[in-house]
Amino acid sequence: MKKYILIFCLAFCMANTVSGQEKKHAMGLRNSIILSETNFELSYQYYLNETSRLEFGLGTAVYALHTTGVYQKVRSVSAITSGLKIYGGVGIIAGFHGSKTGFGAVAQAGLEYNFRFPFQISLDYRPKVFFPDNYYSDDFCVSIRYKF
């Protein structure tokens, strides 16, 4: 009987340890939900720790091809529901806009839900300024990513 209790306790502790580990990578698609500006992006996230991560993107917009890098702070709002998080951050953008090559700054804020299986879905807002022609753009996007 003691043997069964010990095996049960070890299995329970190991299961909690495995399920409590946060995945360090997420990859997926980010797409605008406003029809006036089409924005499609391949998105990769790397978690530095539980409260911060880096997000990299390679995407297209109207007459543009760009790459972004954003540092984000992440905070759990599990008091509402398990798996729900909010995030915000700032970063850089570089690429082509029209016939010009340039760079710029981006900000990003959003809400994400992490399922019990390895997927997440998010909704975010990202304003950006692109130099040298001072082009301003913003978009609301929905993303779906696989976590690994």
Side-chain angles (χ1 to χ4, degrees):
M1 183 68 171
K2 290 180 184 180
K3 210 187 286 187
Y4 292 116
I5 292 173
L6 180 63
I7 291 171
F8 175 78
C9 288
L10 286 173
F12 181 77
C13 290
M14 289 173 69
N16 279 342
T17 302
V18 170
S19 68
Q21 293 176 348
E22 186 71 29
K23 309 262 190 225
K24 290 191 87 60
H25 308 273
M27 182 175 254
L29 302 174
R30 183 177 178 273
N31 196 16
S32 66
I33 57 175
I34 297 178
L35 298 176
S36 63
E37 182 177 324
T38 303
N39 186 1
F40 178 78
E41 190 171 287
L42 296 173
S43 171
Y44 170 76
Q45 294 176 338
Y46 176 74
Y47 288 78
L48 301 170
N49 55 47
E50 286 185 20
T51 61
S52 60
R53 68 181 175 210
L54 298 172
E55 180 174 342
F56 301 99
L58 176 64
T60 63
V62 178
Y63 305 112
L65 177 65
H66 64 267
T67 184
T68 58
V70 182
Y71 173 78
Q72 299 172 340
K73 292 301 276 184
V74 182
R75 187 160 293 182
S76 175
V77 285
S78 58
I80 297 172
T81 185
S82 177
L84 189 63
K85 296 181 180 182
I86 58 172
Y87 59 92
V90 294
I92 58 173
I93 184 170
F96 306 99
H97 180 256
S99 62
K100 297 180 181 178
T101 302
F103 65 95
V106 298
Q108 187 172 5
L111 183 68
E112 76 181 31
Y113 181 75
N114 293 278
F115 295 97
R116 290 191 176 139
F117 47 95
F119 279 94
Q120 70 174 213
I121 188 166
S122 66
L123 175 67
D124 67 60
Y125 173 69
R126 183 191 283 176
K128 49 192 168 279
V129 178
F130 196 77
F131 302 105
D133 57 354
N134 296 331
Y135 174 73
Y136 173 80
S137 174
D138 61 347
D139 53 7
F140 285 93
C141 287
V142 64
S143 303
I144 186 163
R145 294 182 190 89
Y146 174 73
K147 297 177 77 172
F148 58 98

